[in-house]
Amino acid sequence: MASTGGRENVQLVVFTLDQEEFACLIFRVREVIKAVPVTPLPHSLEYVKGVFNLRGEVVPLVDLRRRLSLSEAQFVKDNPIIVVEAGAKIFGLLVDTVKDLIRLPEEEILKTPEELKGSSADLVSGVVEEGERLLIILNLDHILTSNKEIAMEEIIIAGRQLAAVYELSDQSPGEVT
Amino acid sequence: MDMYAYEELFKSEAEEYMQILNRCLLNLEKDPQNKEYLLEAFRASHSLKGMAATMGYQQITDIAHGLETYLEALKSDLMETSAKKLDLAFEGVDLLQHALKDPQDSDSGDVEKKNELLSKFNEARDRETSIEEVKQVGDLIGKKEQELLVQAICSGEKPYLVRLVLDEDTMMKSVRCHQVFQIMEECGEVIFSIPSREDLDEENFAFSFQVGMTLNSDFSPEALGERLLGIMDIAEAAIVPWEEAAFSAEKEENRTVSGQHTAREEKSASDSEETIVKVETHKLDNLINLVGELVVTKNRLEEFGLGYSEEVDSSLGHLKRVLADLQNTATRLRMVPIGQVFYRFPRMMRDICRERNKEIRLQISGEKTELDRTIINQLADPLVHLLRNAADHGIETPELRKSMGKEAEGTVFLKAHHEGNRIVITVEDDGAGIDMEKVAKKALDRGLISEEEVSGIDMDDIIPLILKSGFSTSEQITDISGRGVGMDAVRSKIEELHGSIKLESEPGVYTRFIIRLPLTLAIMKTLMVSVVGQVYSIPMDKVKEIVYLKEDELKESDGNLLATLREEEKSLYSLRELLGKGVSRNHSGTLTVVMVEDAGGKTAGLIVDEIVGHQEAMIKPVSEELVRQNVVSGAIVLGNGNVSLVLDIAGLLKMGEHLLSQQQDLLKELANIGVGNAVTSLSAMLKDQKIFIQVPEVSIMPLQEVPESCGDPENDVTAIYCEAKCGHYSILILFMLPLNAAKIIVERILPGSDPDFGEMERSLLMELGNIMTGSYLSALSFMTDDTYKALPPRLSIDMSGAVLGTIISESSVVDDYMVIVKTVLQIDDEEIEGNLLVLPEWNALQAIYQKIRCSTG
């Protein structure tokens, strides 16, 4: 895990949904908060829990489980909310748990190559392989602004495909075709 | 650095200069002698040029420079500043405006236009400069000659000054002069001579004289010179363009003076700038946001700290006052005079007048009235619509006006003033007024009103019609107005801005639109109501009154709840229902109803659980993308930190209006498809029998009325019912047949069967019920593309009232109203009336409705 070429380290927030681990880049994350009082939004999409007050700003709360076609999160006091910026807006993401914060050199993120964009790969903006563990970095801009139905399995498959692409080309991001 | 930020700054400043330019030129048009306007316009274009040059916007710099020099030339004009000259200046302003849209774009398609204009400017300026020279040699030639010369210059001619010297021994000077003039008149036109022709004829001069003249296009000065020198005794003939002939010393002096003048003006401009600081709007918004936060925190402090001790109380009191001041000041920061939007209209009006050959005076007042700049920015479009309407439909042609005994020139008033916490904007014209008959006829044609409504229609009825979409009474659609979308757009914009619009008119006399708007949208007074434990806010400007209604004051018709208030029938909607929080058709006890009014003046009542209070609060935006149907216009952070949604009244009323009719249509459609399916299945079952099912009749009614509508509750019926689930929703379907009808069917299918229904007969009835309910469900699945899982059906034979009671109490469906699809089965020649009852959960109905609407677009 040594940094090479003096490239900058990036941090990832790792969270779980239904025992699966996902990550998002820390610069997209404003903060992680505990459950807050939520005001339901009438006639909203199924996965929108409502809106909440984040220091004077009114922020929509997205139940990420339902967004990814899982059963609804039990809205209990311990469920953490990751406040993220996506598509120039702020969202609260309700997840199962926030596991850790990892720091790694930027080049270790296997970014989704441009050629893959537009397919199901736009669910995933990159993956990180840590031994056995495969961390999928969600493309929140797409997931939170698209109105298509998305299933968690699609994301996992897209992540594995991406990892496979890199494996085939000997983990060298530059040579991805 | 961030050039984008500078560009925005540049644009906003440039916009101000453009306003000055337009305003000055318009004033100049009215008052051509007033050089003050010219000077101001000149300074504006000069400043604009400087700014554009600093930013490196070549296109704008060039145009502004051209305009500046042109205006400078106009400044020294002796003649009246004619309309034609101003047109050229206006052209320049238009080109500038166009270039300002994208300042960085220096080589867009307009280069040609720019060059053309610049050369026109140059040409015109040359003329103007020549005129200036005329003034400067004013001592030399008389006033009359000056004017002649200027006239020639103005009509585009190029004057020359011809200086002739005769030989000293010339004998017949007058003859030579005569010859000179003869040639000159052949070559062009003589404007004047010094000394005059009379003096020359009488030989009252020494040996030289001067002639001012223009040359015909086919003669060059050289040719003239040659011919003149051909005359005997002419020693010298110098022909010079007029400008060169003028005295350069005087010119120099004049230039210096004007230079000083400009410098002085610039200094005074920069003096006044020191008192104004330009701030980006988002910084202001941030400030106001933070102040709002402080207010919320103060409220919390008050909640906990008040009464703790005298010191705390007095500090809190002080904090409260300071905060109120701070909030007031912060809000005022966003206020700008409405003139910012008014200033562009005189120009627009002028163009319309020219285009449509009308004479209209636009009279503006109250342009200093201040309001929030976010509102001002959005006001331009609606006002343009109203003013164009006034000019196009309102004001008659000058001829028509005269024939009606009105002044040929029409007047359009644009006024603004404060009225309490609101701003009132009036657009009024002294034109034709609104032709009620025409409007009524049009409304009838468009199907907006019925024949009976046409007679007895009055102004109060007409006004909402005009504000409706797709409505235009103009006989010809022009590019100015009359597309019939305008007024609707105006109304919805005003609505969005939490304002109202009213219309007053007297045929042949005037039409007046009155717009009332809040001064700011950032802070709003709201009424807080609770619905199913949630606190919602209703903008106070929409609230007409709060009424408490008893059950017996309500009336239900076609599923619509009505109440009569001051002899007017008003629709009531359950806020619970509109917000998708379930249905409550159980109107016992006293209802709390908030009567609300949308911007178009439509009133209706919203049934709420209770009134919580009212407050003045900052409105925060709420993302619109995450909702299917928008009934929320913003949110408020309450003192306890919770969020209360601000309801969009217009959206809610519209929804209330459509909800029932849309649902009924949908349910009818479902019933039709379902029944179609049933016929197919039944025919298969009843092999040889002919079977028909009449088009079903669908109605929605409160649960308690259902047994009655299915005949006497004590009648014996056969009922087959099942509950179906789809996702989180469930729906109850029930097929009910009078017992004797069931017996007939069973007899038909199984001749000689047990009239008391044995195992066999029961399973047959079950099958029949299955077909009916299943057909409906498959229609539902087909239309919503969802899977409905039906639980096993059950059969019950009892009195209908008892059957319904049991089924409803056993099912998990809680909502208290029902959809009934009445069908009549015809087997051979026997008519059997059956009822298919559908009890959908409210949310299910909503989901179904949404699904179908999505899939059908």
Side-chain angles (χ1 to χ4, degrees), chain B residues 243-381:
Chain B
E243 303 91 277
E244 286 171 33
F247 301 119
S248 53
E250 260 181 73
K251 196 160 96 185
E252 269 317 300
E253 196 185 327
N254 202 310
R255 278 284 145 80
T256 326
V257 169
S258 76
Q260 273 171 357
H261 193 55
T262 319
R264 196 169 56 234
E265 294 301 330
E266 269 168 11
K267 189 162 179 302
S268 77
S270 70
D271 278 349
S272 67
E273 257 166 37
E274 277 167 27
T275 57
I276 294 169
V277 182
K278 298 220 172 202
V279 185
E280 283 162 71
T281 38
H282 77 89
K283 285 184 185 161
L284 273 186
D285 291 347
N286 203 16
L287 174 72
I288 289 167
N289 227 346
L290 290 173
V291 172
E293 271 304 285
L294 273 181
V295 173
V296 171
T297 316
K298 184 242 358 174
N299 288 347
R300 296 213 72 182
L301 259 182
E302 255 180 350
E303 228 169 88
F304 298 117
L306 215 55
Y308 180 77
S309 77
E310 225 168 85
E311 283 80 12
V312 170
D313 282 5
S314 86
S315 300
L316 271 175
H318 184 64
L319 179 66
K320 198 174 171 175
R321 283 191 299 278
V322 173
L323 264 180
D325 265 2
L326 180 61
Q327 193 167 22
N328 202 5
T329 314
T331 319
R332 290 272 313 271
L333 283 182
R334 288 159 54 115
M335 303 282 212
V336 284
I338 196 164
Q340 281 201 358
V341 67
F342 282 6
Y343 283 141
R344 67 182 80 175
F345 297 137
R347 174 66 203 280
M348 183 188 89
M349 225 26 141
R350 168 188 179 273
D351 292 350
I352 294 177
C353 287
R354 292 236 164 160
E355 217 171 289
R356 316 216 48 85
N357 280 328
K358 287 193 178 175
E359 289 173 29
I360 303 171
R361 183 176 58 220
L362 179 65
Q363 203 156 321
I364 292 180
S365 64
E367 64 267 41
K368 294 219 168 78
T369 318
E370 288 190 335
L371 81 165
D372 197 299
R373 74 175 293 150
T374 52
I375 302 181
I376 285 201
N377 291 342
Q378 298 185 65
L379 260 182
D381 285 348

Side-chain angles (χ1 to χ4, degrees), chain A residues 39-40 43 45-46 53 56 89, chain B residues 578 620 625-626 628 641 643:
Chain A
T39 304
H43 309 295
L45 302 172
E46 287 79 10
N53 167 23
K89 290 217 164 105
Chain B
L578 294 181
K620 315 277 166 114
E625 288 89 53
L626 300 171
R628 291 209 168 94
V643 176

Side-chain angles (χ1 to χ4, degrees), chain B residues 599-618:
Chain B
K602 200 180 66 183
T603 2
L606 295 175
I607 304 167
V608 301
D609 290 359
E610 60 184 290
I611 305 285
V612 178
H614 61 90
Q615 75 166 23
E616 197 170 21
M618 294 244 322

Side-chain angles (χ1 to χ4, degrees), chain B residues 234-245:
Chain B
I234 299 289
E236 247 180 76
I239 305 165
V240 282
W242 173 253
E243 303 91 277
E244 286 171 33

Side-chain angles (χ1 to χ4, degrees), chain A residues 37-48 51-53 55-58 60 62 66 72 89 91 144 149, chain B residues 293 534 578-581 620-623 625-629 631-632 635 637 641-643 645 655 728 846:
Chain A
V38 173
T39 304
L41 205 53
H43 309 295
S44 60
L45 302 172
E46 287 79 10
Y47 55 81
V48 180
V51 291
F52 65 98
N53 167 23
R55 286 185 302 283
E57 224 166 325
V58 175
V62 168
R66 287 209 66 184
E72 194 165 354
K89 290 217 164 105
F91 294 87
L144 294 177
E149 261 181 52
Chain B
E293 271 304 285
Q534 286 285 339
L578 294 181
L579 295 175
K581 299 274 174 199
K620 315 277 166 114
V622 172
S623 163
E625 288 89 53
L626 300 171
V627 292
R628 291 209 168 94
Q629 234 166 344
V631 292
V632 167
V637 177
N642 283 357
V643 176
L645 299 173
M655 192 175 167
H728 308 277
Q846 287 298 98

Side-chain angles (χ1 to χ4, degrees), chain B residues 780-799:
Chain B
L780 202 57
S781 304
F782 170 73
M783 278 181 84
T784 58
D785 205 19
D786 266 333
T787 322
Y788 286 81
K789 284 178 202 141
L791 302 178
R794 293 164 71 180
L795 176 73
S796 162
I797 299 169
D798 206 334
M799 286 186 289

